[in-house]
Amino acid sequence: MKLVFIQTGGTIDKDYPNKTKGWAFEFGEPATNRILENLNPSFEFEVITACQKDSLEITDKDRQHLVELINSQNTNKFIITHGTDTMIETAIYLGSCMKDKLIIITGAMRPERFSNSDAAINLGCSIAAANLLEKGVFVTMNGIVKEHTAIGRNIETGKFY
Amino acid sequence: MKLVFIQTGGTIDKDYPNKTKGWAFEFGEPATNRILENLNPSFEFEVITACQKDSLEITDKDRQHLVELINSQNTNKFIITHGTDTMIETAIYLGSCMKDKLIIITGAMRPERFSNSDAAINLGCSIAAANLLEKGVFVTMNGIVKEHTAIGRNIETGKFY
Amino acid sequence: MKLVFIQTGGTIDKDYPNKTKGWAFEFGEPATNRILENLNPSFEFEVITACQKDSLEITDKDRQHLVELINSQNTNKFIITHGTDTMIETAIYLGSCMKDKLIIITGAMRPERFSNSDAAINLGCSIAAANLLEKGVFVTMNGIVKEHTAIGRNIETGKFY
Amino acid sequence: MKLVFIQTGGTIDKDYPNKTKGWAFEFGEPATNRILENLNPSFEFEVITACQKDSLEITDKDRQHLVELINSQNTNKFIITHGTDTMIETAIYLGSCMKDKLIIITGAMRPERFSNSDAAINLGCSIAAANLLEKGVFVTMNGIVKEHTAIGRNIETGKFY
C-alpha cells in the first residue's frame, strides 16, 4: 500500500511561530509529518502540500487544483488534511468528479500542536480507512468513517455524524 | 455503532505514579479514556478492564477470561488494548474461537502518557477498522490493519507488518 | 511562602474551544492551574483572574486595576501571567508604584496547550524567583530574571534579554 | 551568565525506545536538551553527561566523579539533573566539598517524555535559582528552592519540603 497525504491547511496545521505582535497564528509544515514519525508506518507514503489555508477561504478553484494534483500522482489512495468548516463541501466536490480513486478527508478540532488535540486519532482513523477501502470519497472525524454523501455536521457543537 | 474497549495492560497503559523508590512504573486507568475524551466520539462506547498486565505475563487463562468477558457483553464490536510482545498470540487465540464477533487488537510502542506516543494513532486506526469491518480478529499497529492469520512482526525492530 | 498567581490573558492562556467558523481562538482558564497540578507545590497558593486579554489590548486602566487587585490581597508575593507584547510596559507601570511587594511577570511564546510550549519552564522560573526575592518588579522570560528597569526585548526575534 | 547542565540519569531522563521484550525503559539523551529548545535561552549554556543511572544506583564514587567533572569546567554555575531517591544525599555530599561554586540539583517525579511531567517546571525553577544565587548547593523540587542543609522529603508522598 502506498498513501499520499495532501496538506491543505486547516486547524490541524495551525502553529504558533516565535514572533511578536499579537495573534501570530500561522500554518506550519504538515502535522502529518510529526504524527507519522510517531507511528513509524509499515506502508509507503509521501506528504505533499496543495495549499495552506483556513478552510473558510478554500474556493472551488482550490478544489479543482486538488483534483489535478491527485490526478497527477501515480497512486490511488489519498488522505487529505483539511479545515473542518468546509470539509464536507470539499468532500462533495471531489465525490462528484473523482470516481476511481480512494480519497479520505480528515482534520482536527484542535491543532496537532495542542497536547489535547484530536489530530493523531483522526489521522489514525483515516489511515485504517485507507487500508480497508478501495475507492470513493470519505470523511473521518469524531471516530466515524462516512461517504461524502452520508456525512453530516451539527453546526452548534461542531460534531460530525 | 457501539464499541466496547477492553483494557488488558501493556505499554499503552504504563503510568508513573508519584512515589519514591526507583522504577515505580505501574498500570493506570485505561489510556483509552483520555484518548476518547480528545476524540469526542460520534458512536456509543464503553471502556472495561479485563486485566492490567505486561503482555509477557498474559497467559492462556487470561485469554480464556477475555473470551468469556467478550461473550458476556451485549454487543458485537470490541477493541482490545494489549501489550505488543504477545499481541499476535492473543490475536491467534481469539481468532481460533471467536467466529461471530469483530475484535480489533491494538496497543502502543510508547506509553500514551508520552508526548511522542503512538497510542492515539493506533487507537484511531482500530476505531476506523471497527467502523468498516463486520467480524473476525484483526491487529492494527504501525498503520496497517491485518487479520490474525496475516499479521507478522520483525523481532529486531519491533515493527508489525 | 504564599504565592498569588494573577491571570491577565496573553499567549500562555490561549485555548481552542470546540467550535465551528474559523479561528476560534479564545482565552481559557488559567494555564497556571494545569502547570501547578503537574508541579504539586510545597507552598501555599491561590490563582485569580484580573482579565483575559491579548496584551496589545491591555490599557493603563487594566494596569491600575492590577495595582488595586494586588493591594487588596493579604500577601506580598505575586506572579502575573501576561502577554509578551506589552509585558515590559506593564512591568514598568507596576514598578513605578508598587514598592513594597514582590511581583514577577511571566508568560509564553507559545500557548501552554502546545506540546512545545515554554509556559511551564517560564512559570517555573518565576516561582523560583518568588522564593529567592523579597520585593521589586521582575520579568522572567527566556530563562533570565531581570528587574523591570533592566529587561529588554529584541523586536525582530521576540527574545527577552 | 553561563550555565553547565549535567545529566546523571533519574526519572527525568527515562525514555522508552522502540524495542520488544517487556519493560524496555532506558535512559536517553538529556531531557534538558528538549526543554532548553522550547525555552530558547538568553544565556550561554552547555549540556554534558556524568552518568545515566537510576539514583538508587548512584554511589559515592559517582559523586566524587561529579566533583571532578565540576572542577574541570571553566565556569561557576551548574545545574545537575538527578533521580529523586538520593537527590538529597548527593546534595549533602557536594555541599560538604564544593564551597565556591553554585550547584542546583533538580529532577522530576514523572519522565520529561510524559505529557504531565513536572520536568520543565523544575528545570525552570533551577534556571531562575542559578540567575539569582552565587554559591552553595541547592535543591529545587515541588516549587521550592532550598539549601542542601535545609531540604527534606516526605517518604510517604515523595514530596520535597
Side-chain angles (χ1 to χ4, degrees):
Chain A
M1 181 175 70
K2 164 130 187 231
L3 295 184
V4 174
F5 295 83
I6 303 178
Q7 177 188 39
T8 67
T11 296
I12 190 170
D13 282 335
K14 283 182 186 164
D15 205 344
Y16 211 88
N18 281 5
K19 289 205 189 122
T20 50
K21 296 295 161 243
W23 308 67
F25 218 16
E26 297 178 10
F27 294 108
E29 70 153 337
T32 298
N33 288 340
R34 294 188 294 274
I35 296 171
L36 292 179
E37 191 182 337
N38 288 341
L39 177 61
N40 188 17
S42 282
F43 55 80
E44 257 188 283
F45 67 91
E46 204 177 334
V47 181
I48 62 181
T49 296
C51 59
Q52 293 184 316
K53 289 189 173 185
D54 191 77
S55 79
L56 289 175
E57 293 161 11
I58 295 238
T59 64
D60 279 356
K61 199 172 156 192
D62 294 311
R63 293 183 180 106
Q64 188 53 35
H65 173 230
L66 261 179
V67 169
E68 287 154 24
L69 187 64
I70 288 168
N71 281 330
S72 74
Q73 300 293 311
N74 190 21
T75 187
N76 285 310
K77 294 190 169 188
F78 298 85
I79 291 174
I80 299 174
T81 56
H82 196 287
T84 55
D85 282 321
T86 65
M87 187 181 279
I88 296 179
E89 285 87 324
T90 296
I92 290 169
Y93 187 101
L94 296 179
S96 71
C97 58
M98 306 296 291
K99 303 294 188 191
D100 299 324
K101 310 276 189 184
L102 176 67
I103 297 167
I104 318 281
I105 308 181
T106 194
M109 296 300 288
R110 289 175 300 288
E112 183 271 345
R113 284 293 194 188
F114 275 46
S115 50
N116 63 344
S117 177
D118 52 334
I121 321 169
N122 293 342
L123 200 74
C125 280
S126 70
I127 289 169
N131 274 261
L132 296 171
L133 296 166
E134 286 309 317
K135 61 186 180 183
V137 178
F138 296 82
V139 169
T140 58
M141 286 293 291
N142 299 106
I144 55 172
V145 184
K146 288 216 178 164
E147 274 201 271
H148 66 281
T149 49
I151 189 89
R153 193 182 197 197
N154 182 322
I155 296 298
E156 296 306 314
T157 63
K159 203 164 167 175
F160 291 81
Y161 58 83
Chain B
M1 180 175 70
K2 162 128 188 234
L3 295 184
V4 174
F5 295 82
I6 304 178
Q7 176 188 42
T8 68
T11 295
I12 191 171
D13 282 335
K14 284 180 186 165
D15 205 343
Y16 210 88
N18 280 6
K19 290 210 188 116
T20 49
K21 296 296 162 241
W23 306 70
F25 217 15
E26 295 178 12
F27 294 107
E29 70 152 336
T32 298
N33 289 340
R34 294 188 295 273
I35 296 171
L36 292 178
E37 192 183 336
N38 288 340
L39 177 61
N40 189 18
S42 281
F43 54 81
E44 256 189 284
F45 66 91
E46 202 177 337
V47 181
I48 62 180
T49 296
C51 58
Q52 293 184 316
K53 289 189 172 184
D54 192 75
S55 80
L56 290 174
E57 292 161 12
I58 295 240
T59 64
D60 279 355
K61 200 173 155 190
D62 294 311
R63 295 184 179 106
Q64 189 52 37
H65 173 230
L66 261 178
V67 169
E68 286 155 23
L69 187 65
I70 288 168
N71 281 330
S72 75
Q73 301 293 312
N74 189 21
T75 187
N76 284 311
K77 295 190 169 189
F78 298 86
I79 291 174
I80 299 174
T81 55
H82 195 286
T84 55
D85 282 321
T86 66
M87 187 181 279
I88 296 180
E89 284 88 325
T90 296
I92 290 170
Y93 187 101
L94 296 179
S96 71
C97 58
M98 305 296 290
K99 304 294 188 192
D100 299 325
K101 309 277 189 183
L102 176 67
I103 297 166
I104 318 281
I105 308 180
T106 194
M109 295 300 288
R110 290 175 299 288
E112 184 272 344
R113 284 292 195 188
F114 274 47
S115 50
N116 64 344
S117 178
D118 52 334
I121 320 168
N122 294 341
L123 201 73
C125 280
S126 70
I127 288 169
N131 274 262
L132 296 171
L133 296 166
E134 285 309 318
K135 61 186 180 181
V137 177
F138 296 81
V139 169
T140 59
M141 287 293 291
N142 299 106
I144 54 172
V145 184
K146 289 214 177 166
E147 275 200 270
H148 67 281
T149 49
I151 189 89
R153 191 181 198 198
N154 182 321
I155 296 298
E156 297 305 314
T157 63
K159 204 164 167 174
F160 290 81
Y161 59 83
Chain C
M1 182 175 68
K2 163 128 188 235
L3 295 183
V4 174
F5 295 83
I6 303 178
Q7 177 188 40
T8 67
T11 295
I12 190 170
D13 281 335
K14 283 181 187 164
D15 205 344
Y16 210 87
N18 281 4
K19 289 204 190 125
T20 50
K21 296 296 162 239
W23 307 69
F25 216 16
E26 296 177 11
F27 294 107
E29 70 152 338
T32 298
N33 288 341
R34 295 188 294 273
I35 296 171
L36 292 178
E37 191 182 337
N38 288 340
L39 177 61
N40 188 18
S42 281
F43 53 82
E44 257 189 284
F45 66 92
E46 203 177 336
V47 181
I48 62 180
T49 296
C51 59
Q52 294 183 316
K53 290 190 172 184
D54 190 78
S55 78
L56 290 175
E57 293 161 11
I58 295 240
T59 64
D60 278 355
K61 199 172 156 191
D62 294 311
R63 293 184 181 106
Q64 189 52 37
H65 174 230
L66 261 178
V67 169
E68 286 155 24
L69 188 63
I70 288 168
N71 281 329
S72 75
Q73 301 293 313
N74 189 21
T75 186
N76 285 310
K77 295 190 169 190
F78 298 86
I79 291 174
I80 299 174
T81 56
H82 196 286
T84 55
D85 282 321
T86 65
M87 187 181 280
I88 296 179
E89 284 88 326
T90 297
I92 290 169
Y93 187 101
L94 296 179
S96 71
C97 57
M98 306 295 290
K99 303 294 187 191
D100 298 324
K101 309 276 189 183
L102 176 68
I103 297 166
I104 318 281
I105 308 180
T106 193
M109 296 299 288
R110 291 175 299 288
E112 184 271 345
R113 284 292 195 188
F114 274 46
S115 50
N116 64 343
S117 177
D118 51 334
I121 321 169
N122 294 342
L123 201 72
C125 280
S126 70
I127 289 169
N131 274 261
L132 296 171
L133 296 166
E134 285 309 317
K135 60 186 179 182
V137 178
F138 296 82
V139 169
T140 58
M141 287 292 291
N142 299 106
I144 54 172
V145 184
K146 289 213 178 166
E147 275 200 270
H148 66 281
T149 49
I151 189 88
R153 192 181 197 198
N154 182 322
I155 296 298
E156 296 306 313
T157 63
K159 205 165 167 174
F160 290 81
Y161 59 82
Chain D
M1 180 176 70
K2 164 131 188 231
L3 296 183
V4 174
F5 295 83
I6 304 178
Q7 176 188 41
T8 68
T11 296
I12 191 171
D13 281 335
K14 283 180 187 166
D15 205 344
Y16 210 88
N18 280 6
K19 287 204 190 126
T20 50
K21 295 294 163 243
W23 307 68
F25 217 17
E26 296 176 12
F27 294 108
E29 69 152 339
T32 298
N33 288 340
R34 294 188 295 273
I35 296 171
L36 292 179
E37 191 182 336
N38 289 340
L39 177 61
N40 188 19
S42 282
F43 54 81
E44 256 189 284
F45 66 91
E46 203 177 334
V47 181
I48 62 180
T49 296
C51 59
Q52 293 183 316
K53 289 189 173 183
D54 191 78
S55 79
L56 289 175
E57 291 161 12
I58 296 240
T59 64
D60 279 355
K61 200 172 155 189
D62 294 311
R63 294 183 180 107
Q64 188 52 36
H65 173 230
L66 261 178
V67 170
E68 286 155 23
L69 187 64
I70 288 168
N71 281 330
S72 75
Q73 301 293 312
N74 189 22
T75 187
N76 284 311
K77 294 190 168 189
F78 298 86
I79 291 174
I80 299 174
T81 55
H82 195 287
T84 55
D85 282 321
T86 65
M87 186 181 279
I88 296 179
E89 285 89 324
T90 296
I92 291 170
Y93 187 101
L94 296 179
S96 71
C97 57
M98 306 295 291
K99 303 293 186 191
D100 299 324
K101 309 276 190 184
L102 176 67
I103 297 166
I104 317 281
I105 308 181
T106 194
M109 295 300 288
R110 291 174 299 289
E112 183 272 345
R113 284 292 195 188
F114 274 46
S115 50
N116 64 343
S117 177
D118 52 334
I121 321 167
N122 294 342
L123 202 71
C125 280
S126 69
I127 289 169
N131 274 262
L132 296 171
L133 296 167
E134 285 310 316
K135 60 187 181 182
V137 178
F138 296 81
V139 169
T140 58
M141 288 292 292
N142 299 106
I144 53 171
V145 183
K146 289 216 178 164
E147 274 200 272
H148 67 281
T149 49
I151 188 90
R153 191 180 198 197
N154 182 321
I155 296 299
E156 296 306 314
T157 63
K159 204 165 167 174
F160 290 81
Y161 59 83

